[in-house]
Amino acid sequence: MINQTSSSGSAKPRNANPVNRTKAVEVAAQLFLRQGYSYVSMDEVVRASGVSKSNIYYHFKNKEELLQAVVQYWIAQYESQVYILLSQRERSVEERVNSFIAALSAGIEGRNFEGSCPFITLYMQTPASAPDVKASISRFFRELQPMIEKLFQQGVDSGEFREGMDAGAVSSLFVAALEGSLVLAETARDTGIIEQSVRTFCQMLR
């Protein structure tokens, strides 16, 4: 056992706090995308994060639990951005989407074009022994679609996009087009592909 135990159960490591957990997840989120999940050991996360092994194993009993936490980290990042997009109704939908894409592109370039879409990358790398991780990613995409639908419906309601447009169908197509452009951007090492794809998509809605 890595953690010391007592008659009352597992003892909490001295520095086992949310800050350590957050640091470990943030570092693992980058390592998994850059190097591949199967090539990153828990010891490497310990070294890169500066969080002790006892602390990491206090929060995650194995690497699969850490992977689930990493997926939740990326979900939180993306959902927070989408909520911001929905709330900024004083701006056009296209302006909001372009801001999101700019931030997305900056993150991809910062990762040296490795793991352009964290969800697809991690889904493909998830071992068969971690079905809950794949289920979380699938659920994220199911829940993303209605949020994007609301965004495009705002564009219809404001007159930015043509009247009678099916916001539900458009949102599904947008997610598919975005995922495709992310793959192309990674292979070509050019985030301009994503930006051009979004511009063209919005033009087609007017």
Side-chain angles (χ1 to χ4, degrees), residues 114-126:
E114 294 167 333
S116 56
C117 176
F119 304 104
I120 298 301
T121 300
L122 295 175
Y123 189 92
M124 296 299 292
Q125 295 179 3
T126 297

Side-chain angles (χ1 to χ4, degrees), residues 130-178:
D132 289 348
V133 174
K134 287 193 172 185
S136 293
I137 295 172
S138 297
R139 184 166 56 251
F140 164 73
F141 279 111
R142 288 197 302 272
E143 295 175 351
L144 176 65
Q145 191 273 335
M147 290 192 287
I148 299 300
E149 179 179 349
K150 289 180 181 178
L151 181 65
F152 283 113
Q153 187 60 52
Q154 288 179 3
V156 174
D157 295 342
S158 68
E160 180 181 355
F161 300 135
R162 63 177 177 271
E163 186 178 356
M165 186 187 78
D166 185 341
V170 166
S171 63
S172 296
L173 183 59
F174 177 80
V175 172
L178 178 58

